[in-house]
Amino acid sequence: MREGFDSRREIMKTKINFKKALLWSVVVYVIDAIAGSLLYQNPVVSGIFSRYDGHPSMKPMEVFGGLGNWLALTMLFGLFLTIIFIILYLTIYKGIPGKGWNKGLYYGIMVGFIKAVPEAFNQWMIFDYPNILILIQMINTLVGIMIFGIALGFFFDKFKVITYEEIKK
């Protein structure tokens, strides 16, 4: 037997506390919604968007039954994406470098680029949508998902949503 080799190999089992995951996912969702509102409703961005009111590529709110319905649809889809992104985070957790908010930042950058860049490219290629709005949307998506990732990493680490249990063989 090699020196320093322990034949009782230790295996770590990942444990997810689903109650904590659900609780902190709601908190992260709220933070994400606030960050999204700040990114899109700040005076600079809203001023640029207002220049394109009535642009042929922009759907009027009446298509959705008014602003209230549009907001409800946006929030529901945001909740759906939050669930998908959290399931993905839990699935690839061990492979993401870092710890805590830093791990979340790595995750946010990775998912942000996977989501925002192809989305922006497709919009640019397919739709007659103003380039500045595509650029703003891409940047806001990247920043928003990085904030989401940081919050996710921070809360999931701080409140021990994911832990490891030693299994000795």
Side-chain angles (χ1 to χ4, degrees):
M1 185 178 282
R2 291 181 291 173
E3 189 175 318
F5 179 77
D6 185 358
S7 62
R8 300 168 298 155
R9 296 182 7 192
E10 294 175 4
I11 299 174
M12 301 298 277
K13 179 180 179 184
T14 305
K15 293 184 79 177
I16 300 169
N17 183 321
F18 288 101
K19 287 180 185 176
K20 286 182 180 180
L22 182 61
L23 169 70
W24 294 111
S25 296
V26 169
V27 172
V28 169
Y29 173 73
V30 170
I31 290 169
D32 185 51
I34 292 168
S37 294
L38 293 173
L39 288 168
Y40 281 98
Q41 299 305 317
N42 72 67
V44 174
V45 172
S46 62
I48 293 170
F49 268 83
S50 69
R51 285 190 246 149
Y52 294 96
D53 281 347
H55 189 275
S57 66
M58 306 288 265
K59 288 183 181 178
M61 292 295 157
E62 292 74 36
V63 170
F64 303 100
L67 179 62
N69 287 346
W70 180 85
L71 285 172
L73 284 169
T74 301
M75 297 296 282
L76 282 173
F77 190 71
L79 181 60
F80 172 74
L81 283 178
T82 299
I83 292 166
I84 297 296
F85 289 156
I86 289 173
I87 289 170
L88 179 62
Y89 182 77
L90 294 172
T91 303
I92 66 172
Y93 181 82
K94 283 185 180 180
I96 305 169
K99 186 175 179 181
W101 71 267
N102 197 20
K103 181 181 280 278
L105 177 60
Y106 276 109
Y107 175 74
I109 291 169
M110 180 176 59
V111 171
F113 274 99
I114 290 170
K115 181 183 183 310
V117 174
E119 183 179 82
F121 181 73
N122 285 337
Q123 287 176 345
W124 181 74
M125 289 293 293
I126 296 171
F127 302 108
D128 185 22
Y129 197 58
N131 290 338
I132 187 67
L133 299 184
I134 293 171
L135 181 63
I136 289 170
Q137 186 168 330
M138 183 181 74
I139 291 168
N140 281 353
T141 298
L142 285 169
V143 171
I145 293 178
M146 287 190 306
I147 292 169
F148 172 87
I150 290 168
L152 186 64
F154 174 79
F155 288 116
F156 275 39
D157 182 62
K158 174 102 173 135
F159 297 100
K160 309 289 185 240
V161 173
I162 301 169
T163 57
Y164 297 103
E165 181 179 279
E166 249 182 62
I167 301 173
K168 293 187 179 185
K169 272 193 158 182

